[in-house]
Amino acid sequence: RPSILSRFARRYHRQHRFRSVNNETMKFPIVSLLAVTVPASAWAPIAARPTFASMASALFSTSTEVIGEEATESFRLKFKTDDGDISPWHDIPLSSEDGTYNMVVEIPKMTKAKMEVSTKEESNPIAQDIKKGKLRDYHGPIFWNYGCLPQTWEDPNVEHPELKCFGDDDPIDVVEIGSSSLAMGSVKPVKPLGVLAMIDDGELDWKVLAVATDDPLAEEYNDIDDVPESITAGIREWFRWYKTPDDKPINSFGFDEKFLDVATTKEVIEETHEAWKKLKSGETDAGKLWIGK
C-alpha cells in the first residue's frame, strides 16, 4: 500500500516540480468580508507567521488567534473581527462576484496533522481531529492543500438519487492542486475544475478539485479534462488508501470513479450551499452542529 502512494507522489512531484517552502517567508492572500460576495480586487499578499494566516482589509478586518499549543487537544485557531469571534463556516462568503469560490485552508500541503473546522464547537474554530481519544494524523503527508468551502453542507438526511448514500454532515471538501503551500486558516480564492464522489464508510464525501486563482496553473486549467490524468489519479488513489494503515477498508467512488466536469461541480457546490441555507435558517434540524447564536 505505501508503494502505491509513493509512486503517485513521485509522479506528481516530477510534474509540478515542488519547491521547498521556507515557512519564515511564506506569503498568502488576505480576504475582505465586506458583504456576501467579495471582489477579487479585495485580495492582496501579506507576510505571515509560519503556520497560521492573518487576514485584514481597510474597512472590515478579520484575524486568526491561536489558543493552546500545536499538536495538543487544546489547540484552536479562531477567526475574529473587531466585534469578536466569527465562524469560518458560516460567516465567510462562499463565492465572489467574479465567479471564484473562497476556500478555507485547513491542512497545508506536505503536512500530516488532520486539522478541520470544528462544526460542533462555538464559532467553529480549526482544531486537530480526535479519534478514540488520540489526535489524528495522516500516516504520510498530503500532497495538496486541503480545506473546505464555507456556507456549504453535505446533508446527512438527504439520500443521493444515484449513489444511494447520504451526506457526511460536513462542509464540502476542497483539494487545491497549485504549486504553493497555503497557510492554515488562510482564505484563498479558487477556481473549481472537477469533483469526485468519494464514499467513505457509506457516506457521500464530495472532493472538489480546484486551483488557486493566482497560481500559474489557473491559466492552463479550466475544466477537468485539462488536468493531467497523473494528478486526478494520484488524488483518487491517495483518498482510496489513506485510512488503510488504521485497518479501515479502502474508500470507493461513484460515477465509475471519474471526476465530474466543472459544470457539474458547480451544481454540486450549489446543492450543498442550498442545504447549508436550510440548516442555517432552521428548516433542517442542526442536531449537535453549531450554526450561530
Side-chain angles (χ1 to χ4, degrees):
R1 291 168 184 163
S3 62
I4 294 176
L5 293 178
S6 60
R7 184 168 69 253
F8 280 107
R10 289 195 298 271
R11 187 188 306 171
Y12 190 87
H13 279 232
R14 283 198 301 271
Q15 177 146 2
H16 283 272
R17 300 187 299 279
F18 274 81
R19 299 186 297 273
S20 62
V21 176
N22 181 337
N23 283 335
E24 294 300 326
T25 60
M26 185 166 58
K27 295 182 181 294
F28 51 87
I30 61 175
V31 59
S32 172
L33 303 179
L34 295 173
V36 175
T37 57
V38 184
S41 60
W43 302 78
I46 60 174
R49 55 175 294 172
T51 312
F52 313 115
S54 298
M55 301 171 288
S57 70
L59 298 179
F60 189 104
S61 63
T62 67
S63 61
T64 54
E65 178 186 11
V66 175
I67 305 295
E69 296 183 10
E70 293 181 61
T72 70
E73 293 185 15
S74 67
F75 174 84
R76 296 292 184 275
L77 185 65
K78 292 188 173 184
F79 292 70
K80 306 178 76 68
T81 69
D82 292 340
D83 296 324
D85 293 347
I86 66 166
S87 165
W89 182 18
H90 302 301
D91 296 324
I92 293 174
L94 167 62
S95 59
S96 302
E97 290 178 344
D98 60 0
T100 60
Y101 294 85
N102 295 324
M103 172 188 179
V104 176
V105 179
E106 298 166 310
I107 308 174
K109 74 177 181 180
M110 302 311 295
T111 63
K112 298 195 300 180
K114 180 64 174 71
M115 312 302 296
E116 62 182 17
V117 169
S118 299
T119 57
K120 296 179 176 66
E121 286 190 39
E122 182 174 348
S123 299
N124 311 122
I126 291 177
Q128 190 165 356
D129 190 23
I130 297 176
K131 293 293 184 184
K132 297 181 179 179
K134 294 183 179 180
L135 293 171
R136 186 177 169 199
D137 287 274
Y138 294 133
H139 290 270
I142 188 168
F143 308 123
W144 312 275
N145 297 295
Y146 191 68
C148 64
L149 293 181
Q151 298 186 351
T152 63
W153 182 52
E154 297 193 51
D155 190 342
N157 306 294
V158 176
E159 183 181 56
H160 191 278
E162 294 181 57
L163 302 176
K164 303 302 179 183
C165 53
F166 297 82
D168 71 348
D169 203 22
D170 283 325
I172 197 169
D173 296 323
V174 183
V175 182
E176 194 279 326
I177 62 172
S179 57
S180 298
S181 179
L182 305 178
M184 187 200 324
S186 58
V187 181
K188 190 75 174 177
V190 296
K191 177 181 180 180
L193 301 170
V195 68
L196 182 66
M198 188 173 89
I199 301 171
D200 182 353
D201 198 23
E203 296 178 333
L204 179 56
D205 187 6
W206 290 106
K207 305 296 181 187
V208 173
L209 189 153
V211 62
T213 57
D214 61 356
D215 193 276
L217 290 176
E219 297 183 4
E220 301 177 33
Y221 298 166
N222 296 297
D223 210 329
I224 196 61
D225 289 339
D226 299 325
V227 182
E229 194 271 340
S230 60
I231 297 176
T232 56
I235 292 171
R236 184 181 59 245
E237 296 309 313
W238 195 94
F239 281 103
R240 188 194 304 277
W241 292 97
Y242 81 103
K243 288 187 176 181
T244 57
D246 294 318
D247 295 322
K248 297 287 184 67
I250 60 174
N251 290 320
S252 59
F253 305 92
F255 302 106
D256 298 322
E257 302 195 340
K258 295 178 181 179
F259 278 85
L260 306 180
D261 63 18
V262 69
T264 306
T265 301
K266 292 180 179 180
E267 291 176 1
V268 170
I269 293 172
E270 184 58 29
E271 287 176 3
T272 62
H273 183 50
E274 290 301 316
W276 171 83
K277 287 181 180 178
K278 292 179 180 179
L279 174 70
K280 196 73 169 64
S281 69
E283 183 177 343
T284 302
D285 181 28
K288 295 182 179 180
L289 299 174
W290 190 89
I291 60 171
K293 298 176 181 179

